[in-house]
Amino acid sequence: MQKIIKWRWILLIVWLAATVLLTVFQPDVNAILQERGQDPLADNSPSKMAASILKDMTGATGTSNIIVFHNENKLSDEDMKGIEAGIANLKAHQKELGFDELLDPFSLPEAKSSLISGD
């Protein structure tokens, strides 16, 4: 134990040098996986899903907007009914408002888990 205390600064420097060297010279795992044809991300990962959506949207003209409803204590059922009525009103006046498409969790149940947060 006395030797460890006596050599503590040298041991610290050796550990730091080893950490730096291993960090600098570690292999790029993502590059290795791509080289072998393996994708490191699952198909249902958020990054993959976002990339797919962006790929589908390329070439689209106009702007994209997002409407977010927030309540610190979680949205109540009454809040959700009000939001649903508002979305129905927007869709009813779609031509007048000048938009082509509206993605909402009420008409697209498969998108509900992606569009509504659990909390």
Side-chain angles (χ1 to χ4, degrees), residues 47-89:
S47 297
K48 284 283 199 160
M49 293 170 68
S52 173
I53 291 170
L54 284 175
K55 185 178 178 182
D56 293 342
M57 290 178 62
T58 53
T61 58
T63 61
S64 297
N65 296 310
I66 297 174
I67 300 173
V68 177
F69 298 94
H70 172 73
N71 186 344
E72 290 181 13
N73 300 321
K74 188 176 178 181
L75 293 172
S76 67
D77 290 336
E78 185 177 314
D79 293 334
M80 293 303 286
K81 287 178 184 176
I83 293 168
E84 187 173 10
I87 289 174
N89 190 19

Side-chain angles (χ1 to χ4, degrees), residues 65-67 69 82-104 106:
N65 296 310
I66 297 174
I67 300 173
F69 298 94
I83 293 168
E84 187 173 10
I87 289 174
N89 190 19
L90 285 173
K91 285 186 174 184
H93 298 95
Q94 184 171 345
K95 293 286 184 193
E96 298 166 25
L97 295 172
F99 65 90
D100 295 327
E101 187 177 16
L102 179 67
L103 300 176
D104 65 278
F106 305 108

Side-chain angles (χ1 to χ4, degrees), residues 1 7 9 15 19 23-25 28 36 38-39 45 48 53 69 84-86 93-94 102-103 111 115:
M1 186 68 163
W7 296 97
W9 296 113
W15 274 104
T19 303
T23 302
V24 170
F25 294 110
D28 185 4
R36 293 183 180 172
Q38 297 173 336
D39 196 355
S45 70
K48 284 283 199 160
I53 291 170
F69 298 94
E84 187 173 10
H93 298 95
Q94 184 171 345
L102 179 67
L103 300 176
L115 297 175

